[in-house]
Amino acid sequence: MPFNHNDHYHDLLLRELPAGCRRALDVGCGTGAFARKLASRGIEVDAIDTDAEVITAARAQAAPLALPGELTFQQADIGRVSLPPGTYDYIACLASIHHVPFETVRKLREALTDGGVLVILGCYQETTPADYLTALAASPLNAVCRLMTFLRERLTGAGPQPPSAPVADPVMPLAAIRKRAAAELPHCRVRRLLFWRYLLVFRNERRTRATQ
Ligand SMILES: C[S@@+](CC[C@H](N)C(=O)[O-])C[C@H]1O[C@@H](n2cnc3c(N)ncnc32)[C@H](O)[C@@H]1O
């Protein structure tokens, strides 16, 4: 019953697209569901993932689609790949930033255009009563969503399942993420979401401010 918490938040992430967004990067794209949504909006998308199997599946799923935006999947490590500064209007990391050192956000920030937006749909380690209470509140709704997904797939006939993207346990609690984010990404917003995720939004206004 694949009710996917990352896919559930796609619309929320798409709301943060800057006006006139032309070029985007999806870091740790998995099988490419979010990258396809970006390309369907006419955005030129670079999508990278270290895992060969998911990149192959992502290419296969995108191949028959006539998407208005150019979509390129690359097997690459965000820690090693070269990102030209000031290139992307929108960079998305969906459940991937906890796979790499958090300071990777510095490199992502440098790759943003003026006014570009970095969105992180992140996972955090549960350590506090607020974390456990949120999980408790989410559990019944999660069960309902799983059931609805199951019924929908039984009724409509789910196609072949793509390979699962590699997962990792998050090791940073939300408070530590907020602290590191405030240091690395001034004025970013971090908020807890219901289904075991947080949303970080950073708008790159550094160069604009510097010229004022
Ligand atoms: C939990 S999955 C999320 C996949 C996808 N973003 C989604 O929403 O379903 C994390 C992904 O990050 C990828 N990943 C891990 N380390 C990476 C790295 N250093 N560079 C690029 N991708 C990485 C993994 O291979 C995996 O596909």
Side-chain angles (χ1 to χ4, degrees):
M1 285 187 279
F3 167 56
N4 185 302
H5 298 145
N6 304 328
D7 295 358
H8 174 74
Y9 288 116
H10 282 183
D11 287 347
L12 186 69
L13 298 169
L14 291 170
R15 268 183 237 152
E16 302 296 339
L17 278 170
C21 177
R22 293 182 347 165
R23 199 157 174 206
L25 172 69
D26 184 357
V27 178
C29 61
T31 50
F34 191 65
R36 290 193 296 279
K37 284 189 184 170
L38 292 172
S40 73
R41 293 177 169 228
I43 298 167
E44 180 185 340
V45 185
D46 294 327
I48 67 165
D49 200 292
T50 41
D51 190 83
E53 199 183 359
V54 295
I55 287 293
T56 301
R59 286 187 183 132
Q61 287 191 59
L65 308 175
L67 296 169
E70 192 180 332
L71 174 53
T72 309
F73 290 103
Q74 187 191 357
Q75 186 189 357
D77 182 336
I78 188 58
R80 292 166 176 262
V81 76
S82 154
L83 299 180
T87 301
Y88 295 104
D89 303 306
Y90 183 80
I91 300 180
C93 303
L94 280 68
S96 57
I97 203 72
H98 66 287
H99 285 251
V100 296
F102 191 81
E103 54 266 28
T104 305
V105 298
R106 271 182 226 158
K107 182 175 185 175
L108 302 181
R109 179 183 167 178
E110 284 302 312
L112 287 172
T113 55
D114 290 350
V117 173
L118 167 65
V119 288
I120 295 178
L121 181 69
C123 305
Y124 57 90
Q125 189 187 36
E126 291 176 11
T127 55
T128 67
D131 298 339
Y132 298 126
L133 279 173
T134 306
L136 195 64
S139 294
L141 195 55
N142 188 48
V144 171
C145 291
R146 280 171 65 99
L147 181 62
M148 284 169 58
T149 306
F150 172 74
L151 293 175
R152 192 174 54 240
E153 291 192 349
R154 285 295 292 267
L155 287 173
T156 59
Q161 289 298 308
S164 302
V167 294
D169 286 333
V171 293
M172 279 173 80
L174 194 51
I177 291 164
R178 286 185 198 279
K179 199 168 164 188
R180 293 293 301 279
E184 303 282 2
L185 304 166
H187 312 292
C188 70
R189 289 183 278 128
V190 180
R191 73 176 164 104
R192 183 199 295 275
L193 302 173
L194 182 63
F195 292 123
W196 297 276
R197 297 287 182 274
Y198 67 88
L199 173 67
L200 181 156
V201 181
F202 171 74
R203 200 165 295 272
N204 185 34
E205 282 158 353
R206 177 190 42 149
R207 294 180 184 87
T208 315
R209 270 200 302 276
T211 57
Q212 280 173 351

